[in-house]
Amino acid sequence: MRTRKPQLLFSIIVIIALLLAACGQQGPTKVGNYEIPTVERGKFNVAFVYVGPIGDGGWTYAHNQGRLYLEKNGTNVHTAYIESVAEGADSEQVIRALARKGFNLIITTSFGFMDPTETVAKEFPKVKFVHISGFKKNDTNFGNVFGAMESMKYLAGMIAGARAKADGNPRLGYIAPFPIPEVIRLGNAIMLGAKQT
């Protein structure tokens, strides 16, 4: 009996050490098909959640250019991203995993990420969240931003209206892929610009 006590004590210590190591592990983790990046200790860690691939040449590419600029010019900043994240349950799990990982700021870049971002922001009051587009926010850790894209759409409408008038065909159309505020706002800007010609 006496010889088993040291073995039992040693086994308990090994198990506790392994559990502590697993809990403190900062390596990559996976959520579904998405690999969650790691934070860098001692830096301000910013994570970007992209709806498309960074090589799309459009929406996600532009956001990633901003991330690269921040990484290069920010003081003591580390950035990371996850691309091609599906809207809905997948995005909520990814955003939550980033918050758990220890990111200080999480930026989500699709209208469909609005509700998941809001949900996770309530769970992690010490983490800051910025949602691109959308309209939901709170007064503590969740806000939204969107550039004045309606200005360029207004100018595009003026050009389209002038061209249609010169061609003798005063009809214009606008494809609105989703009935969300930003799409409606941009469609309105095009038509208001067209009316100026």
Side-chain angles (χ1 to χ4, degrees):
M1 284 289 218
R2 296 178 105 192
T3 58
R4 290 188 180 175
K5 282 186 180 179
Q7 290 174 340
L8 180 61
L9 183 59
F10 178 75
S11 297
I12 290 171
I13 290 171
V14 169
I15 290 170
I16 290 171
L18 289 172
L19 288 172
L20 289 174
C23 291
Q25 190 176 23
Q26 287 297 316
T29 55
K30 285 197 84 141
V31 171
N33 295 324
Y34 308 102
E35 185 147 330
I36 306 302
T38 58
V39 298
E40 288 188 14
R41 294 188 189 279
K43 291 192 174 184
F44 187 79
N45 290 279
V46 184
F48 291 75
V49 181
Y50 298 143
V51 72
I54 60 171
D56 69 0
W59 180 257
T60 298
Y61 174 82
H63 284 290
N64 199 55
Q65 291 301 300
R67 182 191 68 80
L68 292 171
Y69 181 87
L70 176 62
E71 180 87 27
K72 181 179 178 184
N73 298 293
T75 303
N76 205 30
V77 173
H78 164 68
T79 69
Y81 68 91
I82 301 176
E83 61 186 326
S84 301
V85 176
E87 296 173 335
D90 278 7
S91 63
E92 185 174 323
Q93 291 174 2
V94 165
I95 297 163
R96 185 175 290 109
L98 290 165
R100 283 186 182 141
K101 202 70 154 171
F103 282 90
N104 305 102
L105 171 63
I106 299 170
I107 300 173
T108 58
T109 62
S110 175
F111 187 86
F113 295 159
M114 179 175 61
D115 290 336
T117 305
E118 179 186 41
T119 298
V120 178
K122 289 175 184 173
E123 297 171 19
F124 294 88
K126 292 184 178 177
V127 178
K128 302 295 183 194
F129 297 85
V130 173
H131 176 242
I132 306 300
S133 79
F135 53 86
K136 292 184 177 181
K137 61 182 180 172
N138 66 35
D139 293 331
T140 56
N141 69 330
F142 175 42
N144 55 57
V145 296
F146 199 67
M149 292 167 133
E150 64 274 4
S151 297
M152 75 171 178
K153 293 292 187 177
Y154 182 86
L155 293 173
M158 289 179 70
I159 293 167
R163 184 71 213 186
K165 191 175 187 180
D167 289 346
N169 184 7
R171 293 183 195 192
L172 292 176
Y174 173 68
I175 298 172
F178 302 102
I180 58 176
E182 65 194 57
V183 172
I184 294 168
R185 179 174 76 205
L186 298 179
N188 288 341
I190 286 174
M191 293 309 154
L192 288 170
K195 285 182 179 181
Q196 293 302 311
T197 57

